[in-house]
Amino acid sequence: YQRRVHGGGHLVDQILDQTGMKGTGRWTIQEAAERNCPASVMAAALDARYVSGRKQERVAAAEILKGPEAPTAPADRATLVSQVRQALYAAKIVSYAQGMNLIRDAGIANGWDINLGECSRIWKGGCIIRAVFLDQIKAAFQKNPALPNLLVDPNFAAMLNERQQAWRSVVAAAITAGIPCPAMSGALAYYDSYRRASLPANLTQAQRDFFGGHSYERTDREGTFHCLWDDAHHDIGNVEERGRGNL
């Protein structure tokens, strides 16, 4: 993107910051939601496009909403470039992992018997992606067709573990500078969620039971439970009936 315009400057700086779309991203996120399949990276990228489309609103908001103060010391350029490369690579792994999981889940639901390694090979030969990266994905699924997530393949896990500190530094630097990086930070949040054996989702489920009587399961015993959290709550009756319709 080094193309220059007459009079100096780069062409990319003269392109309106308003992204178009054809609908494929929207369809993908709708499908992921229907299948309870995390697709946070693609969803973040899609949201970024939606926000970009509200150009007039953003111009007005720029006069009202303030960002952080400029950093006192500039970052070392070489270090930052290296960290961004590592962060982008790690986020890309997560994006592919989420996409592969969605394809696999759809295949299982529809009885398609999809070979994810073969999908990678086909894309490499005749798709808009055609990334060298696909060779490694193909190898991962050929080695273990039952791989639950690309993130836990030994090769990809090693690459993520090696790059995760640089990834965190880039996301933190962007947030500190007030620069949006929704896909990269969304990928990191997914990575940190997936690598945790225990998540604070227990609080979310407790809140669901508090305000809606949606019940919960416990770690120390079998069954479904509901709690009368304070005197304002009343017995909801059959807990099993209350749980019907859960996705």
Side-chain angles (χ1 to χ4, degrees):
Y1 302 102
Q2 297 298 314
R3 178 77 65 178
R4 291 184 174 273
V5 295
H6 293 295
H10 291 97
L11 173 60
V12 69
D13 293 327
Q14 306 302 319
I15 297 176
L16 181 66
D17 60 327
Q18 190 167 326
T19 309
M21 63 189 78
K22 294 294 186 182
T24 51
R26 182 187 304 164
W27 303 333
T28 300
I29 299 308
Q30 288 172 339
E31 188 70 19
E34 286 292 330
R35 304 193 182 284
N36 294 337
C37 186
S40 56
V41 182
M42 289 175 279
L46 196 62
D47 282 345
R49 291 192 178 196
Y50 295 154
V51 174
S52 78
R54 297 176 178 269
K55 176 68 173 180
Q56 292 182 336
E57 292 181 34
R58 291 189 287 112
V59 170
E63 300 298 322
I64 302 171
L65 303 176
K66 303 302 180 185
E69 297 180 359
T72 54
D76 177 74
R77 181 183 178 88
T79 299
L80 181 59
V81 168
S82 174
Q83 289 178 333
V84 170
R85 289 183 188 278
Q86 295 179 69
L88 178 60
Y89 198 90
K92 188 169 77 167
I93 293 174
V94 172
S95 182
Y96 273 98
Q98 292 182 344
M100 288 296 184
N101 284 353
L102 177 56
I103 293 172
R104 181 194 58 207
D105 288 357
I108 293 172
N110 292 284
W112 290 337
D113 192 25
I114 293 177
N115 184 323
L116 294 178
E118 189 65 6
C119 283
S120 302
R121 184 193 66 78
I122 294 171
W123 289 340
K124 179 70 182 297
C127 172
I128 192 173
I129 305 173
R130 300 192 185 184
V132 175
F133 190 80
L134 289 169
D135 289 332
Q136 299 181 66
I137 296 177
K138 174 187 173 183
F141 284 110
Q142 283 183 331
K143 182 170 57 180
N144 181 8
L147 186 68
N149 193 306
L150 203 59
L151 271 58
V152 295
D153 169 75
N155 179 49
F156 283 106
M159 289 190 286
L160 287 167
N161 289 335
E162 180 184 353
R163 291 167 172 79
Q164 58 100 15
Q165 193 56 55
W167 191 6
R168 297 180 191 284
S169 296
V170 169
V171 170
I175 292 172
T176 301
I179 300 172
C181 58
M184 191 174 287
S185 59
L188 181 57
Y190 175 83
Y191 170 82
D192 279 335
S193 295
Y194 195 77
R195 69 178 182 82
R196 292 288 299 273
S198 179
L199 288 170
N202 55 329
L203 176 58
T204 303
Q205 193 62 19
Q207 291 173 325
R208 293 184 73 243
D209 188 60
F210 180 90
F211 67 70
H214 293 293
S215 72
Y216 52 86
E217 296 177 88
R218 296 180 55 151
T219 59
D220 58 344
R221 65 186 71 171
E222 296 290 329
T224 303
F225 303 89
H226 169 63
C227 177
L228 303 181
W229 295 92
D230 61 27
D231 294 338
H233 285 82
H234 60 83
D235 194 343
I236 63 173
N238 190 325
V239 174
E240 298 297 331
E241 288 285 340
R242 186 66 176 173
R244 288 184 180 178
N246 288 342
L247 299 175

